[in-house]
Amino acid sequence: MRVLVFGAGAVGGVLGARLHIAHHEVLLVAREEAVVAIRTDGLRLEGPLAGTYRIAAIDALPDGAEVEAVLVTVKAPDLGPAAATLARRLTAPGPILLLQNGLGIEEAFRDGWVGTGRPYPAPDILRAISTVPATRLGPGHVREAGRGEIRIGAPAAGAGGAAAAERWRRLLASTGLTVAVVPDLPREIWRKLIVNAAINPVTADHGILNGALARDPWRGQAEALLREALAVARAEGFDFPDDEIEADLWRIVRATAANRSSMGQDLARGRPTEIEFISGALLRIGARHGIAMPATERAAARIRSRRPVGPAAPGAPPQPS
Ligand code: PAF
């Protein structure tokens, strides 16, 4: 199948390589420096499928590019512009899968798309959650740092999109990953959000690998963030048991111990972070429920102070200039 991977950074690079290895025709859209590196040296992948792979890469999508499926792996702050480009350039994109962390993802993508005046192909746009641990080592050079899986949200009954979900499941499963279409993706999104809210700001702020969270003082900070995120999730009706969510956190920390979190990678490169889609979103919802979140407020303030933050998540307050 001809698959467009829009955003060939860490996650897009790993999944693009896996799709290529599984004999799909992959087109990567990446930043110019990555495109130059991939065209010159191939996409270099470390991890279980280590190798150098010759994959087509471009930095600007041409008009009318013919693809059968689109995997959107840009970071959350880049979703609006990504959606606008896809809406303008592709006449028949096929099913589109959004693979970002946090809340407000579908809304940010939709806003970018409808801003172009093009009709929004709602049933063909699906969301998934990935725990595939991917690190960008350099332009066109990525590492898959452990085992992860992908969960695709089953469309609501009568909304269409079931065929698109099944197509994505088969496509991604063909790469050897564990992939499932799950009926309750919002619960999975919150489960991952709580873990990201605990891992990402602490690792990004202190410039540490995920595995370092097992030691104090970082362990205590991550646990405080986890408790606050869990309180917000419960207020929203996602009643995860304490021990289950703590087990999730430490399982993911162990599985991705050698990985730098996506927020850590973004800060290190001076790129906008997903703080508004993770901690910022939790603070806004927590405030509606009257939940005190001092640890999350501190963590978000520290990341926000390390500009650039990037476009706001839908519903986020204006950023200070
Ligand atoms: O955002 C990330 O970095 C990832 O979601 C995770 C699972 C925390 C691994 O680094």
Side-chain angles (χ1 to χ4, degrees):
M1 192 178 289
R2 188 165 162 78
V3 188
L4 179 68
V5 178
F6 200 92
V11 173
V14 167
L15 296 181
R18 277 187 170 269
L19 286 162
H20 169 84
I21 295 164
H23 305 296
H24 298 288
E25 194 184 333
V26 176
L27 177 59
L28 303 172
V29 178
R31 288 174 193 283
E32 192 185 348
E33 57 168 3
V35 170
V36 171
I38 295 167
R39 285 185 181 164
T40 312
D41 301 323
L43 178 79
R44 289 182 295 146
L45 174 69
E46 313 294 338
L49 299 175
T52 298
Y53 300 104
R54 293 274 160 201
I55 307 179
I58 50 175
D59 62 357
L61 192 61
D63 260 339
E66 284 185 16
V67 297
E68 293 167 281
V70 182
L71 186 59
V72 181
T73 45
V74 296
K75 288 288 167 51
D78 296 326
L79 272 171
T85 301
L86 293 170
R88 288 198 184 98
R89 299 270 188 263
L90 300 178
T91 36
I96 297 177
L97 193 65
L98 308 179
L99 208 64
Q100 285 72 27
N101 290 324
L103 298 179
I105 299 303
E106 295 90 331
E107 292 82 352
F109 190 78
R110 190 190 168 92
D111 287 353
W113 189 292
V114 299
T116 64
R118 306 285 160 104
Y120 189 63
D124 277 341
I125 299 184
L126 301 167
R127 169 105 192 255
I129 283 292
S130 161
T131 57
V132 176
T135 303
R136 178 189 177 278
L137 300 175
H141 188 194
V142 294
R143 178 174 61 214
E144 186 176 0
R147 280 201 67 77
E149 54 187 50
I150 296 181
R151 290 169 179 226
I152 301 168
E166 179 53 20
R167 199 162 174 195
W168 268 114
R169 191 196 64 74
R170 276 207 244 119
L171 188 55
L172 290 169
S174 73
T175 72
L177 289 170
T178 304
V179 188
V181 178
V182 296
D184 195 4
L185 192 71
R187 192 175 167 84
E188 298 300 325
I189 290 171
W190 272 88
R191 182 191 288 282
K192 175 93 191 289
L193 177 72
I194 296 169
V195 169
N196 282 131
I199 294 179
N200 295 25
V202 184
T203 50
D205 189 19
H206 298 288
I208 53 176
L209 299 180
N210 292 356
L213 289 177
R215 298 191 299 277
D216 272 329
W218 302 307
R219 184 181 184 99
Q221 291 177 19
E223 282 173 345
L225 292 170
L226 184 88
R227 279 194 296 276
E228 292 181 2
L230 187 52
V232 180
R234 285 184 179 148
E236 287 284 292
F238 298 98
D239 203 6
F240 299 105
D242 284 338
D243 52 351
E244 185 183 311
I245 214 77
E246 276 168 28
D248 272 359
L249 171 65
W250 298 116
R251 182 177 49 75
I252 291 177
V253 165
R254 276 193 305 276
T256 65
N259 197 38
R260 193 168 296 284
S261 73
S262 52
M263 196 173 285
Q265 295 180 53
D266 287 336
L267 265 198
R269 296 176 61 209
R271 301 262 313 122
T273 72
E274 294 181 327
I275 194 71
E276 298 308 333
F277 292 81
I278 299 175
S279 314
L282 283 169
L283 285 170
R284 288 188 292 283
I285 300 170
R288 284 209 302 270
H289 292 288
I291 297 171
M293 303 177 70
T296 308
E297 266 166 27
R298 265 194 311 277
R302 289 184 64 93
I303 301 296
R304 285 171 179 150
S305 71
R306 316 261 292 268
R307 251 62 84 71
V309 176
Q319 290 162 22
S321 55

